Amino acid sequence: MTKFQVKKVAVLGAGVMGAQIAAHLVNVRVPVVLFDLPAKEGPKNGIVTRAVEGLKKLKPAPLAVADDAALIQQANYEEHLAQLAECDLVIEAIAERMDWKRDLYARIAPHLAPHAIVASNTSGLSITQLSESLPEAIRPRFCGIHFFNPPRYMYLVELIATPSTAPQVMDDLETFVTSTLGKGVVRAKDTPNFIANRIGIAGMLATMKEVENHGLSYDVVDDLTGKKLGRASSGTFRTADVVGLDTMGHVIKTLQDTLSAETDPFYASFETPPVLQALLELGHLGQKTKGGFYKKVGRDVLRFELESRSYVPGGEKADEVYGRMLKKPAAQRLKLLREAEGPQGRFLWAILRNSFHYAAVHLAGIAETARDVDFAMRWGFGMQQGPFELWQEAGWLQVAQWVQEDIDAGKALSTAPLPAWVFEGPVAQAGGVHTAEGSWNPTSGRFEPRRQLPVHARQLFPETVRGSGAQGFATSGKTVHETDAVRLWTLDDEVLIASIKTKMHAISPEVAEGVALAVELAEKDYQGVVIWSGDEPFSAGADLQAMLPAFMAVGVAAIEDAEGFLQHTMLKLRYAGVPVVSAVRGLALGGGCELAVHSARRVVAMESYIGLVEVGVGLVPGAGGLTYIARRAAENAATSTDKDLLKFVSEGFTAAAMAKVGTSALESRKLGYLLDSDIVVPNKDELLFVAIAEAKALANSGWRPPMKRLFPVAGRSAKATILGQLVNMRDGGFISAHDFHIAGLIAGVLTGGDVDAGTLVSEDYLMTLERKAFCSLIVHPKTQERILGMLNTGKPLRN
């Protein structure tokens, strides 16, 4: 079998989605050419050029590094169609017009490579109908690919085959999307709006209808339907604003145009809500026009009022009693909501009942299994649980009975009964649609396991649905040593895995002891160590709360001892006799960043956020972070023709003194926290697989730790230069006096203290300076105010 490789991709259409898909391809280092119509005036690539420039300004940022916009090759249909022959994958992402897409297909067909996969990024048009406009030779290589907006951040990608699509093409594309693009793939049937939007938009429409029925305000509904309900924090109406009300209107119209009362028993609830119609008429399209269901005026957030067609003060919250209800176990929670007398409780039961009802009625028509529906809603709409997972957890038959009773009583959105499989046969006997055997497929009438492609072997602990009985990482493998702080374990008796168990994976003295023990055990019996904790974050930093009791009892000497031990642990990682690989996902801040930079390698998920942020609590990095910056500055200067150490130190000083955090793995590399030799992994679920492979590869290549050596520092003159710049910032009111003091201490450590430029120092010497600076701040009243402020509010205090 020939391996399918994607060496280059063409994206057709430089609109919002097309440009952002191209940006994400650049993020994962796939060469891409972005096409659009030739501009009527000026350079022919003008439309694409403006789209690429616009990528740099969008929030959230579609590019991991803004300068990488230059890597997007620009093209137009008039001059550059021949370039399509170089592309292994062509993604069409033009406007949702069947006639426009068909015209474009006719235009590009003669130029396509004979092996290229062609995919339409449509949110709801029939993939089969689109394929009919292609030559027969191309149809087996054509399918649908539905990215969710924004493509960089949204995990879900739906793939849709036509009757003509070759199965191998679907497998090849899923492999590429999973591993290279880092996405979660769900295969949907070719029905209007596929899976996630079909259920999600129907759910939003049902929610809006229930809002009218129960007389609730938008901000109360968003408070109820956000994190409290286990959904995206933006709730319902704020999510609509982010997506764009025009986009939402288009998806609703797709449902209206392609469905009917005969094909969908919920069709009557697909009417465009009056409030949405009013907002569209007024041109209030959501976040993109600075006003939709909500509008920000200064610091105030106003909400739209349909009656006056204007904005009124918002900020109303839900009754606390419902927040408490939503924290109860699933069975108790749903029972309380169903029996609630208040409108907010009745509203919550109604929207949950509607979601169960709709998903069950349509499962057979839109998806292969219930698993696909739950994954689609989790990955595409930010739900912690899909509708079937919640239903099953709450008690399958009891909830089914409640739903059917409401249907019979005329309380539901449709009179369609729940399917027979809900109450009879394997599902009823198993107590739900998810079992260890697989998830329910109503078409085949059996529980089916998840599709297994070779690429899935790279996901050692993939996401699973509740009820599947899959073993989690916390109990897998062979435990070598375990405490409340860490678990040391192995999957293969070759690489030792160190998993941090503390809250937010904060680094306490007990964690440091566990990591140090991992190195000692690995040096005896294993090829290497991987630091991986299974879920996010990698580590949010040192555990300040764990240090406070010792500080109160013994004083600053206890802090100095604790910091000394953390520093010793970091050096133990750096000079370990086996390779130590940090598998970073999510936040790696403060002590977490220091843990990573002292490892032999870093294997990092793309969406990771790395930085030294101690100044936020009035401290300096104290576990080797500043020593690392000074050493790297010396190493970089040694390989440069410019030997001025201050230039190299300045970048690291700015990052630490301003608590800069890389907002992607690529940006963290620019800040110096990752090296060119470190590996960026697009798919978070492949992180452990790659990290273990990297540890073995380093060991098999004859790993030896670096030699301890002295290195030059910039000295007192460089410190004076930095302080001179800081004086201007302090006197100009840009930083406080305490910020100035902290930054001065950072500068002192990075430049080596009161020594001449070029003085050779050791890591131990600089770490001693770090400890002194750290301990001098821990007793400072201003720093103590910042620490308490962070512990109490979770937000940095500027004083």
Side-chain angles (χ1 to χ4, degrees):
M1 184 184 296
T2 303
K3 179 182 176 183
F4 178 73
Q5 290 183 301
V6 179
K7 297 179 181 177
K8 190 172 186 179
V9 176
V11 176
L12 311 181
V16 173
M17 284 300 291
Q20 290 196 66
I21 291 169
H24 187 61
L25 286 160
V26 164
N27 291 338
V28 296
R29 297 302 183 248
V30 175
V32 59
V33 52
L34 180 59
F35 280 83
D36 211 303
L37 294 166
K40 294 180 181 178
E41 298 179 358
K44 289 289 180 71
N45 285 341
I47 294 174
V48 176
T49 300
R50 286 191 293 274
V52 171
E53 287 301 308
L55 290 170
K56 301 176 185 178
K57 303 170 187 175
L58 282 178
K59 298 293 180 185
L63 289 159
V65 176
D67 292 346
D68 284 350
L71 298 177
I72 299 175
Q73 186 178 340
Q74 301 181 19
N76 64 79
Y77 303 130
E78 184 177 299
E79 300 175 306
H80 304 120
L81 285 178
Q83 293 182 22
L84 291 173
E86 306 168 7
C87 299
D88 309 292
L89 172 62
V90 177
I91 300 173
E92 171 270 303
I94 68 170
E96 294 283 270
R97 284 273 301 269
M98 184 75 73
D99 53 341
W100 291 0
K101 290 178 186 284
R102 285 175 165 168
D103 288 346
L104 180 61
Y105 294 174
R107 197 169 181 180
I108 66 170
H111 303 276
L112 297 172
H115 68 282
I117 295 175
V118 184
S120 174
N121 180 64
T122 176
S123 60
L125 295 180
S126 169
I127 303 301
T128 301
Q129 288 183 34
L130 285 171
S131 72
E132 292 167 356
S133 61
L134 285 165
E136 286 193 21
I138 297 175
R139 291 179 191 178
R141 295 181 278 120
F142 179 77
C143 64
I145 182 169
H146 182 209
F147 289 86
F148 277 66
N149 190 21
R152 172 184 166 185
Y153 301 96
M154 296 301 290
Y155 190 57
L156 176 64
V157 170
E158 293 174 318
L159 297 184
I160 309 97
T162 75
S164 303
T165 308
Q168 188 62 47
V169 165
M170 295 296 287
D171 291 350
D172 288 342
L173 188 55
E174 178 168 345
T175 297
F176 172 74
V177 172
T178 299
S179 196
T180 304
L181 300 189
K183 300 302 179 185
V185 170
V186 167
R187 295 197 190 182
K189 294 185 179 180
D190 189 11
T191 55
N193 288 351
F194 312 127
I195 299 175
N197 272 347
R198 178 69 175 273
I199 291 183
I201 296 300
M204 291 180 81
L205 285 169
T207 298
M208 291 181 185
K209 200 168 189 67
E210 297 295 353
V211 167
E212 295 176 21
N213 293 342
H214 293 86
L216 302 178
S217 65
Y218 309 135
D219 36 15
V220 165
V221 169
D222 279 350
D223 191 30
L224 288 170
T225 59
K227 284 187 176 180
K228 290 177 180 175
L229 198 60
R231 298 183 178 181
S233 58
S234 51
T236 299
F237 295 99
R238 203 164 269 108
T239 296
D241 277 352
V242 172
V243 170
L245 303 189
D246 53 341
T247 301
M248 186 177 175
H250 173 80
V251 178
I252 292 170
K253 192 171 189 307
T254 300
L255 290 176
Q256 294 168 344
D257 292 347
T258 55
L259 295 171
S260 66
E262 288 71 36
T263 58
D264 193 318
F266 294 81
Y267 187 75
S269 64
F270 295 161
E271 293 180 5
T272 304
V275 63
L276 179 59
Q277 189 62 50
L279 287 166
L280 292 173
E281 290 170 0
L282 292 168
H284 299 330
L285 307 182
Q287 192 169 277
K288 68 180 78 174
T289 60
K290 311 296 183 184
F293 286 102
Y294 299 99
K295 181 179 183 179
K296 193 169 184 181
V297 178
R299 294 187 176 182
D300 297 326
V301 177
L302 309 180
R303 73 166 185 263
F304 185 72
E305 184 182 70
L306 179 59
E307 293 76 13
S308 64
R309 293 169 71 95
S310 63
Y311 289 89
V312 299
E316 193 177 350
K317 296 292 184 182
D319 291 343
E320 292 182 8
V321 65
Y322 297 107
R324 292 194 293 270
M325 279 187 191
L326 291 172
K327 292 179 181 178
K328 302 283 186 183
Q332 191 176 351
R333 183 192 327 157
L334 264 60
K335 185 175 187 296
L336 287 169
L337 293 175
R338 186 170 188 267
E339 296 173 354
E341 296 183 1
Q344 295 179 24
R346 295 199 306 272
F347 161 79
L348 284 169
W349 164 251
I351 64 171
L352 291 172
R353 175 202 64 214
N354 295 341
S355 70
F356 301 151
H357 189 192
Y358 194 87
V361 168
H362 287 292
L363 174 59
I366 64 175
E368 293 178 1
T369 70
R371 180 194 310 108
D372 296 323
V373 169
D374 283 341
F375 276 155
M377 299 313 296
R378 275 163 50 175
W379 299 342
F381 279 79
M383 294 183 176
Q384 290 179 8
Q385 290 179 287
F388 290 117
E389 288 179 288
L390 175 57
W391 181 351
Q392 181 166 333
E393 184 188 0
W396 183 264
L397 287 175
Q398 176 62 79
V399 173
Q401 181 184 333
W402 288 340
V403 173
Q404 190 60 53
E405 286 175 2
D406 279 11
I407 296 169
D408 296 339
K411 296 178 181 179
L413 294 178
S414 168
T415 58
L418 290 174
W421 57 260
V422 170
F423 294 102
E424 304 166 2
V427 171
Q429 293 164 13
V433 292
H434 302 307
T435 68
E437 186 182 345
S439 292
W440 181 248
N441 181 333
T443 303
S444 65
R446 61 176 184 264
F447 297 106
E448 295 186 356
R450 196 171 179 182
R451 178 182 297 102
Q452 287 299 313
L453 300 177
V455 70
H456 295 145
R458 296 169 59 87
Q459 300 182 9
L460 301 182
F461 296 98
E463 283 194 53
T464 58
V465 286
R466 185 183 293 268
S468 65
Q471 187 176 13
F473 67 88
T475 56
S476 291
K478 181 176 74 177
T479 299
V480 176
H481 174 80
E482 188 166 14
T483 67
D484 289 340
V486 295
R487 179 184 180 228
L488 308 183
W489 56 292
T490 180
L491 285 169
D492 56 10
D493 289 324
E494 295 181 25
V495 172
L496 191 63
I497 303 166
S499 295
I500 303 172
K501 296 168 56 180
T502 53
K503 184 179 180 181
M504 297 293 286
H505 301 147
I507 299 173
S508 63
E510 292 76 21
V511 168
E513 289 173 5
V515 171
L517 177 61
V519 172
E520 294 170 12
L521 294 174
E523 286 176 334
K524 294 178 185 176
D525 299 317
Y526 299 91
Q527 292 187 38
V529 175
V530 168
I531 303 174
W532 178 84
S533 299
D535 51 11
E536 296 185 23
F538 175 72
S539 173
D543 189 346
L544 291 174
Q545 284 183 306
M547 295 183 181
L548 289 179
F551 175 59
M552 298 299 291
V554 182
V556 74
I559 298 297
E560 187 165 7
D561 287 345
E563 284 300 298
F565 183 65
L566 283 176
Q567 292 176 338
H568 172 74
T569 301
M570 299 305 171
L571 291 179
K572 194 162 189 171
L573 296 182
R574 174 165 165 74
Y575 295 107
V578 293
V580 178
V581 177
S582 280
V584 178
R585 173 182 166 193
L587 301 176
L589 304 178
C593 175
E594 290 167 317
L595 194 66
V597 298
H598 283 90
S599 301
R601 283 287 191 280
R602 287 138 295 277
V603 173
V604 186
M606 173 65 76
E607 296 306 325
S608 295
Y609 307 89
I610 305 173
L612 297 170
V613 297
E614 285 84 352
V615 297
V617 288
L619 294 169
V620 299
L626 298 182
T627 299
Y628 167 81
I629 291 174
R631 175 174 58 78
R632 285 295 300 160
E635 291 169 351
N636 289 335
T639 59
S640 171
T641 55
D642 188 343
K643 302 302 179 183
D644 183 3
L645 255 177
L646 177 59
K647 292 182 180 179
F648 295 95
V649 168
S650 293
E651 293 180 3
F653 167 79
T654 301
M658 297 184 66
K660 283 189 174 181
V661 175
T663 55
S664 69
L666 301 184
E667 191 174 60
S668 296
R669 182 176 277 157
K670 291 191 72 175
L671 291 176
Y673 297 128
L674 299 181
L675 307 182
D676 288 342
S677 55
D678 294 328
I679 299 171
V680 177
V681 179
N683 194 307
K684 59 184 176 56
D685 289 334
E686 296 183 1
L687 199 62
L688 181 59
F689 174 89
V690 177
I692 290 173
E694 182 68 5
K696 290 180 179 179
L698 289 171
N700 291 333
S701 64
W703 165 258
R704 297 292 301 175
M707 299 285 286
K708 289 188 177 182
R709 64 177 65 202
L710 303 179
F711 51 88
V713 289
R716 66 175 72 87
S717 59
K719 176 183 175 182
T721 300
I722 293 173
L723 286 177
Q725 297 169 343
L726 291 172
V727 166
N728 294 332
M729 294 182 69
R730 180 196 63 194
D731 294 346
F734 296 103
I735 60 174
S736 69
H738 195 48
D739 289 329
F740 176 80
H741 176 59
I742 297 168
L745 290 173
I746 292 173
V749 176
L750 290 181
T751 56
D754 189 17
V755 297
D756 295 333
T759 298
L760 297 177
V761 301
S762 68
E763 288 169 297
D764 288 322
Y765 168 81
L766 287 182
M767 284 187 172
T768 300
L769 295 183
E770 270 190 32
R771 281 200 312 278
K772 289 181 178 178
F774 188 94
C775 292
S776 72
L777 286 169
I778 202 78
V779 297
H780 198 294
K782 292 285 188 182
T783 287
Q784 291 178 358
E785 287 176 11
R786 291 190 182 187
I787 292 173
L788 289 173
M790 178 63 76
L791 292 176
N792 290 331
T793 68
K795 297 178 182 178
L797 170 70
R798 288 294 175 212
N799 55 358

Coordinates of all heavy atoms in Angstrom, one line a residue, residues 19 107-108 166 194 326 355 536 613 650 725:
A19 N -9.0 31.5 4.9 CA -7.7 32.1 5.3 C -7.2 31.5 6.7 O -6.0 31.3 6.9 CB -7.9 33.6 5.5
R107 N -13.7 24.6 -13.1 CA -12.5 25.4 -13.5 C -11.2 24.7 -13.0 O -10.2 24.7 -13.7 CB -12.6 26.7 -12.8 CG -11.7 27.8 -13.4 CD -12.2 29.2 -12.9 NE -11.4 30.2 -13.4 CZ -11.5 31.5 -13.1 NH1 -12.5 31.9 -12.3 NH2 -10.7 32.4 -13.6
I108 N -11.2 24.1 -11.9 CA -10.0 23.5 -11.3 C -9.7 22.1 -11.7 O -8.6 21.6 -11.7 CB -10.0 23.6 -9.8 CG1 -11.1 22.6 -9.2 CG2 -10.1 25.0 -9.3 CD1 -11.0 22.4 -7.7
A166 N -13.9 6.8 -2.2 CA -13.1 5.6 -1.9 C -12.8 5.5 -0.4 O -12.4 6.5 0.2 CB -11.8 5.6 -2.7
F194 N -24.9 18.2 8.9 CA -24.1 17.1 9.4 C -24.5 16.8 10.9 O -25.6 16.7 11.2 CB -22.6 17.4 9.2 CG -22.3 17.8 7.8 CD1 -21.6 19.0 7.6 CD2 -22.7 17.1 6.7 CE1 -21.3 19.4 6.3 CE2 -22.5 17.5 5.4 CZ -21.8 18.7 5.2
L326 N -27.2 22.2 39.9 CA -26.4 21.7 38.8 C -25.1 21.0 39.2 O -24.4 20.4 38.4 CB -26.1 22.8 37.8 CG -27.4 23.3 37.0 CD1 -27.0 24.6 36.2 CD2 -27.9 22.2 36.1
S355 N -32.8 18.3 24.1 CA -31.6 17.7 23.5 C -31.6 16.2 23.4 O -31.2 15.6 22.5 CB -30.4 18.2 24.3 OG -30.3 17.7 25.6
E536 N -4.3 18.6 31.2 CA -3.8 20.0 31.4 C -4.0 20.4 32.9 O -4.9 19.9 33.5 CB -4.5 20.9 30.5 CG -4.3 20.7 29.0 CD -4.9 21.7 28.1 OE1 -5.1 22.9 28.6 OE2 -5.1 21.4 27.0
V613 N 6.5 33.5 35.2 CA 5.5 34.6 35.5 C 5.5 35.0 37.0 O 4.6 35.6 37.5 CB 4.1 34.1 35.2 CG1 3.9 33.8 33.7 CG2 3.7 32.8 36.0
S650 N 19.2 40.6 27.2 CA 18.1 41.5 27.2 C 16.8 40.8 26.8 O 15.7 41.1 27.4 CB 18.3 42.7 26.3 OG 19.4 43.5 26.7
Q725 N 17.3 51.9 31.9 CA 16.0 51.9 31.1 C 14.8 51.7 32.0 O 13.7 52.3 31.8 CB 16.1 50.7 30.1 CG 17.2 50.9 29.1 CD 17.4 49.6 28.3 OE1 17.0 48.5 28.7 NE2 18.1 49.7 27.2

